[in-house]
Amino acid sequence: MKNVFLRRLLAAVLFLALAVGLLSLAGAVLRPPQVSYGSTWRAYRAEPKNTMDVLYFGSSYAYCDFDPVEIYRHSGLTGYVMGGSEQTMSLTYWYLREALETQHPQAVVIEPTGVFFEKYQNYTQTNVAYMPLSLNKLGAIFTAAEPELRTGLLFDLWFYHSRWKEVRPSTVKAALTPARTDTRKGFTAVEGTAEDLVLTRNPRPLTDAQYEENLGWLLRCLELCKERGIQAIVLLNPCYSQCSPEQYQRLEADLAAGAPEATFVNWVDAFDGLGLVPEEHLYDGGHLNRYGAAIYAAGVAELLTEEVGLTPMTQTDENAAAWQAAVDSRDA
């Protein structure tokens, strides 16, 4: 009787594992591909392990402003942007943990505007759904996602089952084919310039309790970098849709007290010094356009090499050639 029970239990476990595997596979096929505007995990995981000098994190302020290919042009430092639309600090923490599963960079750059976000923003589903299945994704689901989204984030079919009519053989092939690297390295270029551009310095309506919670997640990011021997840089990018100066001052003081080993840089008003012309280089109040990001890359490269003191790691001939090809594609 005992052997029969064990065989039935094993059969039930195998059936459950097969069912979960098939459901996960179906969800991966039905889920739309994510190749820009952050959360580009498939392309990131295709990068050769431990080849990134710098990883960049944050909201769209990160993936629109940090152009790793142009930074490489000016410094030789490889890098990738693992940002996400309206990425909160809690999500940044789990992104950082997951990103460090395959890379051990010299430095991590965090654009910290997410400290002034609400607990939940508008793009949690996209930010979390595309993370690789891991304990870090589970951490994001249960600590950084709205409770009503958790079922769909655990089982993709909950969100994407209605797309079955759109599935073609090419859709299945793309989902099951091993991912390839992306020459943009997580950067999303936006075109055009803002109309009626107005500089605003308004405090975000955030409670002290929410600010402290967000700050706590940022400090966890910085502590993780410290534990791994990674230099942390907290960098506020140039923008016209600014928080109040008092909010930035409070953040700087709190980081000086809580993470003195981290480098804090406030460039929200540094347009002239960086060679940026707001009317030409801002896509809107918060984001640089393609040409602004290319100019900004020179300033970021100088910060990383001259002030932080980074030097490029040695790359294989193949990876060095791939990075040079990415630079050449921009020139073409």
Side-chain angles (χ1 to χ4, degrees):
M1 289 294 293
K2 183 177 180 180
N3 290 338
V4 172
F5 172 77
L6 290 176
R7 285 197 298 269
R8 289 178 177 175
L9 178 61
L10 179 60
V13 170
L14 291 175
F15 174 81
L16 181 61
L18 180 61
V20 170
L22 290 174
L23 289 173
S24 298
L25 181 62
V29 170
L30 291 172
R31 186 177 58 199
Q34 181 75 7
V35 296
S36 58
Y37 297 97
S39 309
T40 55
W41 280 103
R42 272 177 58 84
Y44 174 79
R45 292 293 289 265
E47 291 288 340
K49 289 186 176 181
N50 298 322
T51 57
M52 294 297 170
D53 290 301
V54 187
L55 295 179
Y56 305 87
F57 296 88
S59 65
S60 55
Y61 283 31
Y63 67 65
C64 284
D65 291 5
F66 295 127
D67 186 343
V69 173
E70 292 297 330
I71 294 171
Y72 176 84
R73 181 200 297 275
H74 292 287
S75 66
L77 295 170
T78 57
Y80 202 101
V81 188
M82 267 323 311
S85 297
E86 296 187 15
Q87 188 181 90
T88 60
M89 272 301 133
S90 54
L91 286 170
T92 296
Y93 173 75
W94 294 111
Y95 264 49
L96 174 60
R97 288 194 67 93
E98 185 61 35
L100 295 181
E101 293 292 320
T102 57
Q103 300 292 337
H104 189 284
Q106 300 182 60
V108 160
V109 177
I110 298 175
E111 206 296 321
T113 300
V115 169
F116 306 111
F117 287 169
E118 295 294 341
K119 183 178 182 68
Y120 305 122
Q121 293 289 129
N122 294 316
Y123 297 93
T124 306
Q125 180 176 327
T126 300
N127 274 309
V128 180
Y130 292 92
M131 292 182 70
L133 182 60
S134 65
L135 292 177
N136 295 315
K137 182 173 183 176
L138 292 177
I141 290 171
F142 289 105
T143 69
E146 297 92 321
E148 62 269 23
L149 295 180
R150 289 173 185 168
T151 300
L153 293 174
L154 288 168
F155 304 100
D156 285 330
L157 281 178
W158 186 267
F159 286 142
Y160 305 115
H161 63 275
S162 62
R163 296 189 69 249
W164 67 271
K165 293 181 180 180
E166 302 173 33
V167 173
R168 301 290 183 272
S170 59
T171 310
V172 178
K173 181 180 179 181
L176 301 183
T177 301
R180 301 174 59 183
T181 59
D182 182 4
T183 59
R184 295 170 294 180
K185 309 300 180 183
F187 168 68
T188 294
V190 291
E191 306 287 351
T193 55
E195 297 181 5
D196 301 321
L197 190 62
V198 177
L199 175 64
T200 60
R201 293 190 176 96
N202 299 322
R204 290 179 179 258
L206 195 68
T207 65
D208 285 343
Q210 189 57 56
Y211 169 81
E212 293 294 338
E213 180 181 337
N214 296 344
L215 176 66
W217 285 107
L218 176 56
L219 290 175
R220 290 181 70 179
C221 292
L222 303 180
E223 181 62 26
L224 179 59
C225 289
K226 183 179 178 180
E227 292 172 359
R228 303 286 182 92
I230 300 168
Q231 176 63 49
I233 300 107
V234 179
L235 173 56
L236 286 158
N237 291 342
C239 70
Y240 260 31
S241 300
Q242 299 178 10
C243 300
S244 70
E246 292 76 19
Q247 285 180 307
Y248 293 138
Q249 291 164 7
R250 180 182 182 183
L251 175 60
E252 182 175 10
D254 288 338
L255 291 180
E261 70 284 348
T263 299
F264 178 81
V265 181
N266 183 350
W267 275 351
V268 293
D269 286 318
F271 289 93
D272 290 344
L274 293 164
L276 293 167
V277 179
E279 293 78 10
E280 296 178 12
H281 298 134
L282 280 174
Y283 169 75
D284 57 17
H287 309 87
L288 296 171
N289 60 25
R290 176 194 300 272
Y291 306 103
I295 293 171
Y296 186 47
V300 176
E302 183 177 353
L303 170 69
L304 295 173
T305 55
E306 300 299 322
E307 296 187 37
V308 179
L310 302 185
T311 56
M313 71 172 70
T314 302
Q315 301 287 343
T316 64
D317 291 343
E318 182 180 7
N319 203 43
W323 275 91
Q324 187 57 49
V327 173
D328 294 342
S329 69
R330 300 293 180 86
D331 295 334

